[in-house]
Amino acid sequence: MSAKGPKGEELNVSKSSLLCPVERTSMRRVATSHEALKQMARRGALFLGVAAGYVKTGRDRIEKDPDRRVQDALRLVFAKFSEFQSVRQVHVWLRDEGIELPAKSHDEKGRCTVWKLPLYNTVHNILTNPVYAGAYAFGRIAQKTRIVDGRARKVSGFKKPREEWNVLLRDNHPGYISWEQFQENRHIL
């Protein structure tokens, strides 16, 4: 970047030199923390949230929820999908039978498990989330930038193809189904 000096001479100025030392330090810390998060993700140790059916153990591990009711409910979803071969049919069957599924919620003590009649998206998300096959996946969702009213707006929620996920570590933790079963389910869907 170039700028004019007090006598009109051309000056070569970097963007970082326009910042005060506190701003430069802050920017370095942000860059360092983003890199630390990426490294944690590459190791399979970054958990921003834990799916229903799992609990966080330690700082960087998850295990199946020890509650047998939670485990049985999730196994039932996979068993019924194998039988019906349709997310919609599993959803309708669960609701008709009055079977509630575990969901993560927050109360005054922190995260807890609540039981709800499932929505279609709940069943679909269980069947398509690789965590239930024992895999750690990071970067499955893309973010796109759009120009709205002359301003850049970031819109997230675009699912990436599996080949473009940032991290995929199979056999990272105990799964409710095998990786092969997960692949077969994805093919059916």
Side-chain angles (χ1 to χ4, degrees):
M1 183 168 134
S2 65
K4 299 281 183 188
K7 297 180 181 173
E9 70 277 16
E10 285 288 320
L11 301 174
N12 285 328
V13 180
S14 70
K15 288 181 182 179
S16 64
S17 67
L18 297 174
L19 302 172
C20 73
V22 172
E23 290 171 320
R24 281 195 300 272
T25 301
S26 177
M27 287 179 65
R28 273 195 300 273
R29 285 185 183 148
V30 168
T32 302
S33 79
H34 279 113
E35 187 54 38
L37 290 175
K38 287 179 186 176
Q39 287 177 3
M40 286 178 70
R42 285 191 285 269
R43 291 192 317 266
L46 178 62
F47 294 99
L48 303 175
V50 181
Y54 286 96
V55 293
K56 197 169 177 184
T57 57
R59 290 180 48 215
D60 59 356
R61 299 286 309 156
I62 62 170
E63 292 179 5
K64 285 183 182 177
D65 192 315
D67 185 339
R68 298 301 288 177
R69 181 180 173 208
V70 171
Q71 291 184 24
D72 291 344
L74 289 168
R75 282 192 197 101
L76 181 62
V77 171
F78 292 109
K80 287 298 172 183
F81 184 75
S82 291
E83 180 183 337
F84 297 138
Q85 306 278 297
S86 160
V87 177
R88 182 183 173 285
Q89 288 300 314
V90 173
H91 171 248
V92 168
W93 184 86
L94 290 168
R95 292 196 63 100
D96 286 350
E97 296 295 319
I99 297 173
E100 296 178 327
L101 295 180
K104 294 291 183 175
S105 184
H106 294 278
D107 63 9
E108 58 277 351
K109 295 179 229 165
R111 282 184 77 108
C112 64
T113 300
V114 296
W115 292 85
K116 301 179 188 179
L117 283 175
L119 300 173
Y120 175 88
N121 285 346
T122 304
V123 177
H124 186 269
N125 290 341
I126 289 170
L127 293 168
T128 58
N129 191 336
V131 74
Y132 295 107
Y136 176 87
F138 187 80
R140 296 184 305 143
I141 307 295
Q143 191 177 61
K144 294 182 181 177
T145 304
R146 289 184 172 159
I147 305 299
V148 178
D149 297 329
R151 299 187 67 175
R153 301 279 184 215
K154 292 190 179 196
V155 181
S156 61
F158 299 96
K159 294 191 178 188
K160 296 181 190 177
R162 195 183 78 208
E163 305 77 42
E164 294 178 19
W165 294 354
N166 297 24
V167 178
L168 175 62
L169 304 173
R170 291 173 38 192
D171 301 320
N172 189 63
H173 54 269
Y176 285 88
I177 58 172
S178 68
W179 181 256
E180 291 73 26
Q181 183 64 50
F182 174 75
Q183 293 288 81
E184 188 176 316
N185 291 351
R186 294 278 298 185
H187 180 71
I188 292 167
L189 293 170

